[in-house]
Amino acid sequence: MSAILLAALGLGAFALGYVFYSKFIAEKIYRLDPDFVTPAHAMEDGVDYVPTNKFVLWGHHFTSVAGAAPIIGPAIAVIWGWLPAFLWVVFGTIFFAGVHDAGAIWASIRNKARSVGALTEDVVGPRARSLFMIVIFLLLLMVNAVFGVAIARLLISYPSSVLPSWSAIAVALVIGYLIYRRGVGLLWPSVIGVVVLYLTIYLGDFVPVSLTEGAFGLAANAQWIILLFVYAAFASLLPVWLLLQPRDYINGLQLFVGLGIFYVAVVILNPDIVAPAINGNVPEGTPSIVPLLFVTIACGAVSGFHGLVSSGTTSKQLDKETDVRFVGYFGAVGEGALALVAILATTAGFATLADWEGVYNKFGGGSLTAFVNGGATIVSGGVGLPIEFATTLLTVMAILFAGTTMDTGVRLQRYIIQEWGNIYRLPFLTNNYVATFIAVAACLALAFGAGGPSGAGGLIIWPLFGTTNQLLAGLTLLVVSVMLVKLARPVWFTLLPLTFLLVMTILALLFQLWEFYTQANWLLLALDVVILIAAILVALEAVSAFVRERNKAAAQAAGAAE
Amino acid sequence: MTGSPMPGPVAAAGGAAGQGGGPPPPRLGRWRQAMELLREFYVAPYRGAIARAKREEDDVFMLFVYAELMGVPNPATYYTLELQPILMEQFHDWHLRMGMEHSPLDHFKCC
């Protein structure tokens, strides 16, 4: 199978989905109204509520939702063959993610740009709100732990990426400083910053850095994980303008550059997909494709995390209600295109099937390493970059995406811990340093608790992270569906994805529960139980909310008849 | 810290606020327009977070300026005294934000 054909099929399906299905959803289900006064206008304050150009808004919506997760998920899931991963990414994006992301923005702007968390309380009930907070905290905990593990693995596999990855922090600090403290315009700092970044990527090959194995009695992998969390703790305490904002900006530019280069390289090189369409020969220990495929690929098919972005910042800046379609649905399509890159890189970037099977020799064996190796082969063959440079380039991109998510994740965890400190009157928890310490300690405990003393096995958390992410998506779809019931509009287009997600989530949790039990992994077993309880509660909340709304509608109809 | 706005962020946020949604005036060339959009791309996601961080700094500064009036010795009173009339306008919002329902000053009741 030619990679061009697969790319064309995928992108073509996305295009059809955007042109037809999103139009149907926008016009018939959400009934987007060009005259509706969005919160950005109604509550314009120049700070949070600012009407923003839809292309700009799409740009930062897309770059905040797309990161390392839509790469890692598909890169693991192709172990079942390229076809299942491809189908789930394509149909997931069209029928789940687009509807979910656009729905989250729509629900939020129809409710004064409140967040999905707050809406859960209003629309579904206060119990659902508490559930929401717990699910988000677990989600952040797992994403931080798993990204720490993934970055450490990359830094060890590719010592050439160490210099550029850490230099990127210095580059971001300088850009932030120049823009905010020196009042320099944006153009030159970005141009020079990107040039310096690429220069360090080039230099990385000449200055590979490896940590000494066994220093301080720790494996190199463990040392990196600890260093990364020390960094994340400091980074999350720095003002956002100094580090996070410029880092996000550089990542955004990198994302567009990376996507562009990759698709051009695929077209020029036209590699063959060596991986089987359906892998009949999966390595021992690979879990069953149903339900695990649907939680291994969360971001890239449908991800609850998007709902947080959609209703947190995007909805406050939406200029016109009709922009929901472009920003929300097309944002999901952008992420689908990134997941497609991951599938292509990990299935067409190998010379032979034996090479591919060598990398995918156990579940979780491929992951980012397979993406970097395969992607670099395609990029260097397609656009003629030296293979070492292409390898370091892709490694650094993946590390930067994951690293920025860690900064943000630890920061958000700190906010949640501080909020709990306020709610439960524990003033020490509201201290920035205490809250950050607790957040980082929890992440480290999970990374080492799940991954062993070296932390190397931490990627085992991935499917559990995906499950939690899908559960969050379920909660958002529940809010949107209940709103649609209240408005007496067709509810199937959100209710079917919701049901599918809940069924798959609960199945996956039960499946993993058994697995963790047989492995005697008590930490993850406990985590699994907590998430399972949350999932069952979400399902019950969903049923109760629908019954309540249906009864209300019936009572109204009866009242009208009398 | 200072109470003066950081150069750039908030000014840029305020400046961009009015024209975010509509098309820029035709006299702007395409290049200027592209730069505007790039700047928006940089500024927009963090506008709120930065404004809140700035407000926190400003709140501490308000405390310095009015410390002496509330019985807290402040060695810099000589310098902060002349700022009091200027910051008076923000005083009401500040004490509300700090969780005080009414003005904490005996001789100055704003509400």
Side-chain angles (χ1 to χ4, degrees):
Chain A
M1 173 94 177
S2 128
I4 292 187
L5 186 61
L6 193 65
L9 280 176
L11 296 179
F14 289 151
L16 291 177
Y18 180 71
V19 172
F20 296 108
Y21 192 60
S22 84
K23 186 177 158 75
F24 166 74
I25 292 289
E27 287 177 3
K28 300 283 187 254
I29 308 298
Y30 299 147
R31 295 189 198 162
L32 304 178
D33 173 8
D35 298 325
F36 178 76
V37 182
T38 59
H41 287 285
M43 298 191 268
E44 181 167 355
D45 61 1
V47 178
D48 286 318
Y49 300 88
V50 182
T52 303
N53 177 293
K54 73 172 176 181
F55 296 102
V56 171
L57 196 58
W58 174 79
H60 67 70
H61 179 81
F62 167 52
T63 49
S64 11
V65 297
I71 299 175
I72 299 181
I76 295 179
V78 291
I79 197 161
W80 290 295
W82 58 262
L83 188 62
F86 175 78
L87 291 177
W88 173 227
V89 163
V90 169
F91 288 108
T93 299
I94 295 173
F95 294 105
F96 289 61
V99 177
H100 167 276
D101 296 13
I105 307 180
W106 170 74
S108 178
I109 57 166
R110 284 281 163 170
N111 288 284
K112 300 185 177 161
R114 284 154 68 78
S115 70
V116 179
L119 283 183
T120 320
E121 179 161 4
D122 296 354
V123 179
V124 187
R127 278 184 316 236
R129 170 76 206 260
S130 315
L131 258 179
F132 201 84
M133 287 277 278
I134 294 171
V135 171
I136 289 179
F137 187 80
L138 290 176
L139 187 71
L140 292 169
L141 184 68
M142 281 186 273
V143 78
N144 288 336
V146 94
F147 279 11
V149 171
I151 299 177
R153 200 191 257 200
L154 284 179
L155 288 172
I156 287 181
S157 307
Y158 306 98
S160 60
S161 66
V162 175
L163 175 78
S165 304
W166 293 92
S167 311
I169 298 166
V171 169
L173 286 170
V174 171
I175 293 183
Y177 175 79
L178 285 177
I179 289 176
Y180 281 90
R181 286 291 188 232
R182 288 276 163 260
V184 180
L186 192 57
L187 181 66
W188 289 113
S190 5
V191 171
I192 296 171
V194 170
V195 169
V196 170
L197 183 67
Y198 282 78
L199 196 66
T200 57
I201 291 177
Y202 175 72
L203 289 177
D205 280 321
F206 301 101
V207 199
V209 181
S210 301
L211 295 181
T212 320
E213 195 69 37
F216 309 106
L218 292 166
N221 198 58
Q223 296 171 40
W224 275 128
I225 294 178
I226 292 171
L227 274 176
L228 284 164
F229 276 104
V230 170
Y231 155 74
F234 278 108
S236 72
L237 286 164
L238 285 178
V240 287
W241 61 265
L242 186 58
L243 181 62
L244 193 54
Q245 187 178 28
R247 234 167 116 77
D248 248 5
Y249 171 72
I250 297 175
N251 284 356
L253 297 183
Q254 292 267 0
L255 183 58
F256 290 116
V257 170
L259 276 176
I261 289 183
F262 189 87
Y263 278 109
V264 168
V266 166
V267 171
I268 296 176
L269 187 67
N270 191 17
D272 260 338
I273 293 178
V274 295
I278 293 172
N279 192 359
N281 188 20
V282 289
E284 205 175 321
T286 306
S288 148
I289 183 168
V290 177
L292 260 284
L293 169 69
F294 303 99
V295 294
T296 303
I297 305 182
C299 293
V302 54
S303 146
F305 177 72
H306 297 192
L308 303 184
V309 177
S310 300
S311 67
T313 45
T314 306
S315 63
K316 297 189 175 86
Q317 301 178 339
L318 203 75
D319 184 28
K320 286 207 272 300
E321 195 183 43
T322 41
D323 292 350
V324 163
R325 183 178 165 208
F326 182 72
V327 175
Y329 198 97
F330 202 62
V333 166
E335 175 149 294
L338 181 61
L340 198 56
V341 165
I343 294 178
L344 289 168
T346 50
T347 55
F350 294 86
T352 62
L353 176 60
D355 285 353
W356 184 83
E357 282 176 334
V359 173
Y360 282 92
N361 53 7
K362 66 175 202 291
F363 187 66
S367 164
L368 282 177
T369 329
F371 168 73
V372 168
N373 286 341
T377 309
I378 294 176
V379 166
S380 78
V383 291
L385 293 173
I387 183 84
E388 297 83 12
F389 182 81
T391 307
T392 315
L393 178 73
L394 286 179
T395 314
V396 171
M397 273 188 190
I399 290 178
L400 291 188
F401 291 162
T404 311
T405 309
M406 278 176 77
D407 292 5
T408 321
V410 171
R411 194 180 288 269
L412 293 175
Q413 268 188 304
R414 180 183 98 212
Y415 293 156
I416 295 183
I417 292 171
Q418 288 176 321
E419 201 171 318
W420 282 337
N422 277 326
I423 295 175
Y424 299 108
R425 294 174 199 278
L426 300 167
F428 69 96
L429 282 186
T430 57
N431 180 291
N432 274 351
Y433 300 99
V434 174
T436 304
F437 179 79
I438 294 176
V440 168
C443 296
L444 279 172
L446 181 58
F448 287 110
S454 70
L459 224 52
I460 189 176
I461 316 167
W462 184 264
L464 209 52
F465 158 70
T467 314
T468 318
N469 206 349
Q470 305 294 47
L471 193 58
L472 195 64
L475 269 167
T476 307
L477 284 171
L478 173 62
V479 169
V480 176
S481 306
V482 173
M483 276 179 66
L484 290 173
V485 173
K486 282 187 177 173
L487 293 166
R489 293 194 195 154
V491 75
W492 295 113
F493 305 92
T494 51
L495 192 60
L496 284 180
L498 165 65
T499 316
F500 182 83
L501 283 184
L502 278 180
V503 169
M504 285 305 160
T505 313
I506 291 174
L507 280 181
L509 282 165
L510 289 172
F511 185 89
Q512 290 178 88
L513 196 69
W514 176 248
E515 209 163 61
F516 295 140
Y517 176 74
T518 50
Q519 294 165 356
N521 194 334
W522 307 121
L523 177 72
L524 292 189
L525 184 86
L527 204 58
D528 189 301
V529 169
V530 173
I531 301 167
L532 184 62
I533 293 172
I536 292 170
L537 288 176
V538 171
L540 292 176
E541 286 290 340
V543 173
S544 117
F546 279 111
V547 171
R548 190 182 65 215
E549 293 305 325
R550 213 178 49 186
N551 289 348
K552 258 192 210 167
Q556 268 174 1
E562 283 169 19
Chain B
M1 298 305 286
T2 69
S4 63
M6 288 182 287
V10 179
Q19 51 185 302
R27 65 188 158 77
L28 286 180
R30 279 186 179 238
W31 176 252
R32 289 262 317 264
Q33 192 184 340
M35 285 298 106
E36 279 296 317
L37 290 180
L38 189 67
R39 171 142 207 111
E40 266 296 287
F41 179 65
Y42 189 88
V43 169
Y46 288 99
R47 209 181 261 134
I50 288 170
R52 269 186 292 279
K54 176 181 174 299
R55 195 176 67 185
E56 270 173 30
E57 284 189 7
D58 288 352
D59 284 344
V60 178
F61 186 70
M62 287 290 279
L63 183 66
F64 287 152
V65 172
Y66 291 97
E68 196 87 359
L69 280 181
M70 288 182 281
V72 183
N74 174 8
T77 300
Y78 179 79
Y79 302 98
T80 56
L81 198 59
E82 61 179 312
L83 293 172
Q84 285 184 4
I86 302 170
L87 295 177
M88 211 44 139
E89 278 182 36
Q90 301 163 23
F91 186 80
H92 177 66
D93 289 339
W94 176 74
H95 78 68
L96 287 181
R97 254 203 317 278
M98 295 299 106
M100 293 174 275
E101 224 171 286
H102 298 290
S103 164
L105 304 180
D106 287 339
H107 309 295
F108 177 71
K109 294 286 176 207
C110 54
C111 52

